Amino acid sequence: MRAGLGTRRRLDGTRLEGHPDALRLAETAAKIAEDLTDDPFMHDAQIAAAQALGCLGAAEQAVELANSVQHPIGKADQEDRDKALMAAVTGLWAYDPAAATAIVDAMEQRLLTGDGGLDGPVVGFADLLVAVGHQDYERSRRLADAAQRAAERKHRLGSEARDSRYMGARPQDGLVMGLLTAGSDPACAGEWLLRAVDLLESESSRTSWNRGPLAIVCAALGDYKAALGLAFRSDHGRRAEVLTEFAAYVAGVPGTTVFHGNIGSAPELWLIRRFAALVMPAEAAEGRPLEADDGSHTLAPDERRSIAFSLLSQALLADGWHNAVPVLADLAPDVVISIRDVVFQHLGLED
């Protein structure tokens, strides 16, 4: 393992916030992840460790680990390495914006030249947009335009082939574009979302798996009734994850920051929720209609918080309940302490 980097500082010279052992723990996690050579979750662990290092400003270590990510079941390594780089970039802006920008620009160039991995250019550009966030408006605007051009090209090729399913179109393309165009062109957004739903219905074996991202999009568009229905119809094994991401979006909190990989959970859900929070944040649309009998109800901040707690209470009762903990930590830290005490008692770790 590489030598420790000591205390990290931001560009303005201030010390890192948080627990003093955070960097040591992140380095330990990285070492453990590197040693999981035969574990099917090895790449997920490596991506999470790279993100932890990025969030602590350890740019060189984060990039080195990201570029060494391996997938144990033969999937294209570059895709997983790109995901690890994006996960690291989200934390690097505060410490090394030059390094973050260089990573984003290199990945953008690969997408523009057609070497963008299995996720395709539309989702790839959305990944980059989430990574850049509000750090660089001009770069974000350029990435949004590139995503729209890529999506339109996909749709045009699919139309010429009379069925977009045979041209590599994916439901998440329509979800991304629906969110991206909802503010400026609702009719266009509706068309994109209808295409996404059509593709979801054509992939019957994956429909329940994809209900989570669609639920987030419905919430972003103000249809909480439809969003709730989709969330509770999600596959039971992923319901806690869907409800948690839904709660984080509604409450306007960061929620889980650890990347969700391809085996243990749904990466599209992780991306779509963050993308929705970026382009159509719930807290910026408090006058957006909420389904009610008289059609006049609006979603106020205290109502958003109440809805979030209701969703989290359901998530805590489902498999994967631990997904709810990071959102609870944002909304009610004392509740997390209580959960910790219960878990520790169950595991015999009270002492």
Side-chain angles (χ1 to χ4, degrees):
M1 184 65 184
R2 295 168 291 280
L5 297 182
T7 301
R8 282 278 161 182
R9 294 179 181 271
R10 290 188 174 88
L11 294 180
D12 61 5
T14 58
R15 292 169 66 92
L16 273 175
E17 299 175 357
H19 198 286
D21 290 332
L23 182 60
R24 177 181 60 80
L25 292 170
E27 290 179 326
T28 301
K31 178 62 171 70
I32 293 172
E34 288 176 331
D35 292 340
L36 297 175
T37 53
D38 297 321
D39 193 298
F41 295 97
M42 171 181 66
H43 69 302
D44 283 0
Q46 290 175 318
I47 292 171
Q51 184 176 37
L53 290 168
C55 288
L56 291 166
E60 292 182 8
Q61 286 176 286
V63 171
E64 183 177 345
L65 178 58
N67 283 326
S68 66
V69 167
Q70 298 179 15
H71 200 293
I73 58 175
K75 192 177 179 182
D77 287 344
Q78 189 58 54
E79 182 179 359
D80 293 305
R81 291 167 186 163
D82 284 349
K83 291 183 184 300
L85 287 169
M86 286 300 90
V89 162
T90 58
L92 276 178
W93 289 104
Y95 307 99
D96 195 340
T101 298
I103 293 170
V104 169
D105 288 350
M107 294 186 67
E108 178 186 7
Q109 197 57 40
R110 284 208 300 276
L111 287 169
L112 290 171
T113 57
D115 184 20
L118 297 180
D119 269 348
V122 179
V123 174
F125 284 122
D127 270 321
L128 290 177
L129 267 167
V130 169
V132 174
H134 298 290
Q135 303 290 338
D136 187 326
Y137 175 79
E138 291 301 324
R139 186 168 270 100
S140 293
R141 184 67 265 165
R142 188 177 74 213
L143 291 168
D145 290 342
Q148 184 149 358
R149 288 195 299 272
E152 289 171 348
R153 180 175 181 274
K154 249 187 184 183
H155 178 65
R156 184 178 67 253
L157 292 173
S159 297
E160 291 171 357
R162 296 180 181 276
D163 192 335
S164 61
R165 287 169 289 184
Y166 301 127
M167 297 307 300
R170 302 177 67 184
Q172 50 266 46
D173 293 346
L175 298 180
V176 166
M177 293 310 304
L179 288 170
L180 196 59
T181 58
S184 59
D185 192 342
C188 179
E191 291 178 8
W192 281 113
L193 293 175
L194 285 174
R195 295 169 198 165
V197 171
D198 181 58
L199 285 167
L200 284 171
E201 290 176 348
S202 73
E203 298 181 5
S204 57
S205 63
R206 298 182 60 203
T207 300
S208 65
W209 188 81
N210 278 294
R211 283 187 184 129
L214 185 57
I216 301 298
V217 174
C218 286
L221 297 177
D223 193 344
Y224 282 80
K225 183 177 180 180
L228 284 168
L230 287 163
F232 282 104
R233 283 162 50 208
S234 297
D235 180 84
H236 183 72
R238 300 188 187 278
R239 192 170 301 158
E241 187 181 351
V242 172
L243 293 172
T244 296
E245 294 288 0
F246 190 177
Y249 173 77
V250 173
V253 298
T256 177
T257 56
V258 176
F259 173 82
H260 284 196
N262 295 326
I263 298 179
S265 53
E268 286 88 352
L269 178 61
W270 191 84
L271 168 64
I272 292 298
R273 202 271 286 177
R274 281 152 187 76
F275 193 71
L278 176 66
V279 299
M280 295 192 72
E283 63 270 26
E286 290 169 4
R288 192 177 298 154
L290 177 69
E291 287 293 328
D293 292 338
D294 62 2
S296 62
H297 195 57
T298 56
L299 194 61
D302 59 332
E303 291 174 304
R304 289 194 287 109
R305 186 178 177 88
S306 177
I307 290 173
F309 275 118
S310 177
L311 292 167
L312 291 172
S313 68
Q314 294 295 319
L316 288 169
L317 298 175
D319 293 340
W321 61 268
H322 58 277
N323 285 285
V325 174
V327 179
L328 277 172
D330 284 313
L331 293 176
D334 291 344
V335 174
V336 176
I337 299 299
S338 299
I339 293 174
R340 180 204 64 184
D341 293 342
V342 171
V343 172
F344 277 24
Q345 183 176 11
H346 178 71
L347 296 176
L349 300 174
E350 304 99 310
D351 298 331

